[in-house]
């Protein structure tokens, strides 16, 4: 599961995108970092037969050295490319030391890996200006069809340089929409309730789940709604009004506005305050400590909550929370429902921005054609499955479309499965962990999340100095105020104070910057479309 790990992409809610990823432990990265710097890009008559040595900075997985996954990848690459391939992993340290280590590696040619994995870093533009990362467009045209076919036009736009070059390739882009409204179907049936469609019906259901003893134990020990401390858990309420308090939202007049300032927010906060006071909302949602997915998984497993806005992955039989829930509640059934409709009929699931939360750059220490051939081969479904899940019949089995590991997680770690995660991570049918039903649910959520995708502004620029300068203070005030209103410590009218504070906290500068970036980005997209049709479409 992915949901927010790297820093937020400046006003776009990446909170969902990596904090849920498996931040596997620290590992030494030093031994092979420079081993491959001599892989010169100069062409020779024997170039085609020359072996490929490719050092790759890796962040995901167990970071197992000299692993089965590494050797399997080398075999797959050698077979596909027709040249001997030697992969040399450079394991990156844990998240607290990540950026320091990456900057250190990139500081000199003899330490730069051939392919760098990185998250949201301000150093990227410096690398481009210094000429130490390569334009991959010609190589993608020759050898990158799998990559070009997999990523959408919009995703490529967010990774395209206005000079007409592609210096970075998305490493991992979450599903177009990876969350859904989840309700206890068995509780609906027991209480004689229909699946809710509107916000009023959803609220009535949550109250019934709280007050009408849906688990039949004669105690008032259930909650209507629970989740983590992120606003994503409250999406059925905010999105019913077409608002997202963490992003800029397109307005009917063509302007954009920070979503937390929109007047409908006050209506939502007032409703949430009422439900919190009634005991419908799990009070654990209000604590910042409840930002750990493991904690929410435990709450989910108990079966004491009737609804969540949570991950589609919960419907995979192999999901840990789903397994624990069925053990504790053998007759319990959760189901995914369509997004809740608001007072004006609007409804939407939460879309992902479409930007890779991490990406890959090919440095000046290798041949770009070689690097793209390696990456393109890794992106193929069969190779992706090999390095992610192992070999069918050896590390897993497939029965009736259901993936079942035949090894323990610890055995998988020893094999290095996942070491190459977040490298062109596929989220389609190649991700065999998803059952056909879950894959279909993901696909449906592409449509159900489109209404908010049309509203949310996703900023392409990595440089937003005004946002970087003022947003932390603004978000701190927002969060303290909004949760104070929800928990009843302050009246809903206190929302008006935030609107006034926003400008004093630097909101005016943020708004001016956002307006300019949005205008520039819109015209830049037209330029990109022409470039895309000439440089990418013919090679797909």
């Amino acid at each position: 599961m992915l949901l927010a790990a790297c820093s937020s992409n400046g006003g776009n809610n990446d909170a969902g995108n990596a904090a849920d990823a498996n931040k596997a432990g620290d590992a030494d990265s030093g031994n092979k970092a420079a081993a491959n710097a001599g892989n010169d890009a100069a062409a020779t008559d024997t170039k085609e037969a020359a072996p490929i040595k490719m050092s790759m900075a890796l962040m995901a997985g167990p970071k197992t050295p000299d692993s089965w996954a590494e050797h399997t990848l080398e075999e797959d690459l050698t077979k596909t490319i027709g040249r001997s391939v030697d992969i040399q992993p450079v394991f990156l340290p844990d998240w607290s030391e990540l950026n320091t280590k990456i900057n250190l590696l990139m500081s000199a040619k003899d330490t730069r890996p051939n392919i760098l994995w990185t998250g949201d870093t301000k150093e990227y533009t410096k690398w481009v200006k210094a000429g130490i990362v390569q334009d991959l467009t010609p190589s993608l045209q020759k050898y990158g069809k799998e990559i070009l076919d997999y990523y959408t036009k919009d995703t490529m736009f967010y990774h395209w340089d206005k000079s007409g070059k592609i210096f970075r390739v998305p490493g991992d882009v979450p599903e177009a929409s990876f969350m859904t409204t989840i309700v206890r179907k068995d509780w609906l049936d027991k209480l004689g309730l229909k699946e809710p469609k509107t916000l009023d019906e959803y609220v009535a259901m949550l109250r019934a789940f709280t007050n009408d003893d849906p688990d039949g134990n004669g105690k008032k020990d259930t909650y209507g709604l629970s989740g983590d401390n992120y606003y994503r858990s409250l999406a059925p309420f905010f999105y019913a009004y077409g608002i997202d308090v963490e992003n800029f939202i397109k307005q009917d007049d063509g302007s954009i506005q920070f979503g937390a300032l929109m007047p409908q927010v006050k209506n939502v906060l007032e409703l949430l305050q009422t439900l919190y006071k009634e005991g419908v909302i799990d009070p654990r949602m209000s604590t910042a400590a409840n930002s750990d997915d493991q904690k929410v998984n435990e709450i989910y497993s108990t079966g004491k909550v009737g609804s969540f806005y949570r991950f589609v992955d919960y419907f995979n039989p192999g999901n840990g929370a789903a397994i624990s829930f069925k053990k504790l509640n053998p007759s319990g059934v959760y189901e995914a429902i369509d997004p809740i409709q608001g007072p004006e009929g609007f409804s939407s699931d939460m879309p992902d921005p479409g930007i890779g939360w991490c990406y890959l750059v090919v440095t000046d220490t290798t041949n770009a054609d070689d690097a793209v051939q390696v990456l393109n081969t890794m992106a193929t479904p069969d190779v992706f499955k090999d390095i992610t899940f192992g070999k069918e019949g050896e590390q897993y089995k497939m029965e009736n479309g259901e993936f079942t590991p035949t090894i323990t997680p610890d055995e998988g770690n020893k094999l290095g499965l996942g070491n190459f995660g977040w490298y062109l991570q596929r989220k389609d049918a190649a991700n065999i962990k998803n059952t056909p039903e879950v894959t279909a649910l993901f696909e449906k959520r592409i449509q159900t999340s489109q209404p908010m995708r049309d509203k949310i502004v996703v900023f392409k620029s990595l440089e937003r100095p005004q946002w970087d300068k003022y947003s932390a203070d603004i978000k701190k005030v927002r969060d303290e105020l909004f949760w104070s209103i929800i928990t009843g410590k302050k009246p809903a009218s206190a929302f008006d104070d935030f609107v006034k504070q926003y400008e004093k906290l630097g909101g005016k500068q943020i708004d001016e910057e956002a307006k300019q970036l949005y205008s520039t980005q819109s015209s830049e997209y037209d330029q990109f479309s022409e470039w895309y049709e000439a440089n990418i479409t013919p090679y797909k």
Side-chain angles (χ1 to χ4, degrees):
M1 306 299 317
L2 324 129
L3 288 200
C6 293
S7 59
S8 173
N9 189 33
N12 300 315
N13 181 21
D14 284 322
N17 292 342
D20 311 312
N22 177 23
K23 299 179 180 178
D26 219 327
D28 182 41
S29 62
N31 291 335
K32 292 188 177 181
N36 183 27
N39 188 15
D40 199 279
T44 68
D45 292 336
T46 59
K47 176 65 178 171
E48 292 304 317
I52 296 174
K53 292 184 179 181
M54 195 63 59
S55 61
M56 306 169 69
L58 304 176
M59 184 59 186
K63 302 180 182 178
T64 308
D66 196 30
S67 67
W68 175 91
E70 178 185 329
H71 296 302
T72 298
L73 175 58
E74 290 171 337
E75 292 173 4
D76 287 342
L77 291 167
T78 298
K79 179 180 179 180
T80 301
I81 299 173
R83 296 162 61 190
S84 175
V85 180
D86 177 15
I87 295 299
Q88 301 177 334
V90 179
F91 294 119
L92 297 171
D94 67 20
W95 296 89
S96 64
E97 301 175 3
L98 176 63
N99 286 337
T100 300
K101 181 62 177 180
I102 286 176
N103 292 339
L104 215 63
L105 288 173
M106 293 293 284
S107 65
K109 191 166 184 175
D110 62 352
T111 59
R112 282 196 282 278
N114 301 147
I115 302 175
L116 174 73
W117 177 98
T118 185
D120 182 13
T121 172
K122 304 303 180 185
E123 300 298 315
Y124 164 74
T125 54
K126 297 179 182 178
W127 300 336
V128 173
K129 292 176 182 177
I132 63 175
V133 296
Q134 300 188 58
D135 172 26
L136 301 181
T137 307
S139 299
L140 287 168
Q141 291 171 340
K142 288 185 286 186
Y143 301 112
K145 188 177 186 305
E146 193 75 42
I147 297 171
L148 298 179
D149 285 346
Y150 180 68
Y151 290 119
T152 66
K153 177 181 177 181
D154 284 351
T155 292
M156 293 304 291
F157 170 63
Y158 293 118
H159 300 81
W160 173 78
D161 190 85
K162 61 184 178 181
S163 66
K165 298 177 180 179
I166 296 176
F167 292 109
R168 56 184 182 143
V169 173
D172 185 3
V173 178
E175 292 87 352
S177 181
F178 51 84
M179 303 189 81
T180 186
T181 305
I182 299 173
V183 302
R184 283 288 295 267
K185 185 181 185 306
D186 56 317
W187 286 8
L188 284 174
D189 294 342
K190 181 177 181 179
L191 299 178
L193 299 173
K194 294 181 180 180
E195 180 182 299
K197 304 292 185 184
T198 68
L199 186 57
D200 286 343
E201 291 171 350
Y202 184 65
V203 168
M205 179 201 72
L206 296 180
R207 284 175 167 145
F209 284 172
T210 304
N211 300 317
D212 296 348
D213 192 23
D215 60 355
N217 68 353
K219 302 177 183 179
K220 189 176 179 181
D221 59 353
T222 57
Y223 293 106
L225 178 76
S226 191
D228 54 31
N229 189 238
Y230 299 122
Y231 293 108
R232 66 187 183 188
S233 289
L234 303 172
F237 300 91
F238 286 113
Y239 276 41
Y241 282 87
I243 52 179
D244 185 313
V245 300
E246 295 198 291
N247 286 291
F248 273 80
I249 305 295
K250 301 171 189 175
Q251 305 299 303
D252 292 339
D253 63 0
S255 64
I256 62 174
Q257 183 181 23
F258 189 45
L261 302 174
M262 293 175 64
Q264 299 93 325
V265 174
K266 186 175 181 179
N267 297 332
V268 175
L269 293 175
E270 192 168 23
L271 173 59
L272 293 172
Q273 184 184 78
T274 299
L275 295 176
Y276 189 91
K277 183 178 180 181
E278 293 177 6
V280 173
I281 295 177
D282 183 348
R284 289 170 290 190
M285 292 182 71
S286 66
T287 63
N290 196 34
S291 58
D292 183 351
D293 277 320
Q294 184 57 42
K295 179 64 176 178
V296 182
N297 290 346
E298 292 171 1
I299 294 172
Y300 183 93
S301 301
T302 65
K304 291 295 184 178
V305 178
S307 183
F308 294 83
Y309 194 76
R310 206 71 180 147
F311 308 123
V312 171
D313 185 67
Y314 274 25
F315 293 95
N316 273 318
N319 179 277
I323 293 172
S324 297
F325 170 73
K326 290 303 289 185
K327 284 182 178 179
L328 296 172
N329 306 272
S331 61
V333 179
Y334 276 114
E335 69 172 353
I337 65 172
D338 286 340
I340 301 301
Q341 297 176 12
E344 297 182 3
F346 184 87
S347 66
S348 181
D349 275 308
M350 179 179 288
D352 186 82
I355 298 179
W357 67 270
C358 59
Y359 52 88
L360 312 169
V361 298
V362 176
T363 72
D364 58 348
T365 62
T366 191
N367 180 280
D369 283 354
D370 290 349
V372 169
Q373 287 186 82
V374 168
L375 292 174
N376 195 71
T377 303
M378 291 175 67
T380 60
D382 286 345
V383 176
F384 170 77
K385 286 185 280 189
D386 280 352
I387 59 180
T388 307
F389 306 108
K391 298 283 188 180
E392 184 175 2
E394 297 180 25
Q395 284 80 36
Y396 68 90
K397 62 182 179 179
M398 299 293 296
E399 294 180 352
N400 300 318
E402 184 173 317
F403 166 82
T404 303
T406 56
I407 57 174
T408 66
D410 185 57
E411 289 172 331
N413 289 341
K414 290 179 181 178
L415 293 173
L417 296 180
N419 270 3
F420 298 92
W422 306 333
Y423 254 68
L424 304 164
Q425 188 95 6
R426 297 192 72 113
K427 299 299 174 66
D428 54 8
N431 186 3
I432 54 177
K433 178 174 65 70
N434 294 335
T435 65
E437 292 77 14
V438 168
T439 296
L441 190 55
F442 275 125
E443 291 174 350
K444 184 178 181 182
R445 290 298 170 264
I446 296 175
Q447 281 73 48
T448 58
S449 62
Q450 190 61 46
M452 280 304 289
R453 188 176 293 108
D454 291 338
K455 282 178 169 285
I456 293 173
V457 177
V458 179
F459 291 103
K460 177 177 182 287
S461 176
L462 296 177
E463 296 181 346
R464 294 180 63 190
Q466 300 305 316
W467 175 264
D468 293 341
K469 183 176 181 179
Y470 297 111
S471 62
D473 288 340
I474 287 175
K475 288 189 287 187
K476 180 180 179 181
V477 171
R478 176 199 63 191
D479 295 346
E480 290 177 353
L481 176 61
F482 284 12
W483 282 105
S484 291
I485 293 174
I486 292 171
T487 57
K489 296 175 183 177
K490 291 186 178 181
S493 58
F495 169 76
D496 300 329
D497 296 334
F498 175 65
V499 177
K500 297 174 183 177
Q501 283 181 284
Y502 176 77
E503 186 167 328
K504 295 179 181 178
L505 291 170
K508 183 177 180 180
Q509 292 91 320
I510 285 178
D511 288 348
E512 290 175 351
E513 178 183 70
K515 180 180 178 181
Q516 181 60 48
L517 288 174
Y518 181 58
S519 175
T520 301
Q521 180 171 308
S522 298
S523 60
E524 191 175 298
Y525 189 83
D526 294 335
Q527 177 187 350
F528 165 75
S529 292
E530 293 182 12
W531 177 90
Y532 188 89
E533 291 306 314
N535 293 277
I536 300 300
T537 301
Y539 303 94
K540 290 172 69 70

